[in-house]
Amino acid sequence: MDELFNKYEVSKVSIALSFIYTVPYNITPVVGVSSIAHLKDAMIAMNIKLTKKEWYKLYLLGKYKLP
């Protein structure tokens, strides 16, 4: 995952949220924010366009099986 943080120059939270935004099942996370930094992370994530390969690498990190 470090390569993604470096490539996009964003936080882990932004990468995690961008993964959810990229899920092909039309999932929209409900993000609670307790600071301006959390809000910025969520906003940045909406503009990150992960490639299919990047998304799949993150998916495999979760050790889930494809449906």
Side-chain angles (χ1 to χ4, degrees):
M1 269 179 59
D2 289 338
E3 66 187 54
L4 292 178
F5 307 139
N6 294 331
K7 177 181 176 180
Y8 293 104
E9 299 178 349
V10 297
S11 70
K12 292 177 183 179
V13 172
S14 293
I15 292 294
L17 285 171
S18 68
F19 171 82
I20 295 170
Y21 289 136
T22 309
V23 171
Y25 304 117
N26 200 17
I27 296 173
T28 302
V30 176
V31 181
V33 294
S34 57
S35 71
I36 297 296
H38 292 164
L39 180 60
K40 287 180 181 178
D41 283 337
M43 292 171 60
I44 289 168
M46 295 176 70
N47 295 315
I48 298 171
K49 305 298 182 210
L50 296 174
T51 65
K52 289 179 182 180
K53 186 175 181 178
E54 291 168 339
W55 184 89
Y56 189 67
K57 277 185 172 181
L58 291 172
Y59 178 83
L60 291 177
L61 287 175
K63 299 180 182 167
Y64 297 103
K65 294 181 180 178
L66 287 170

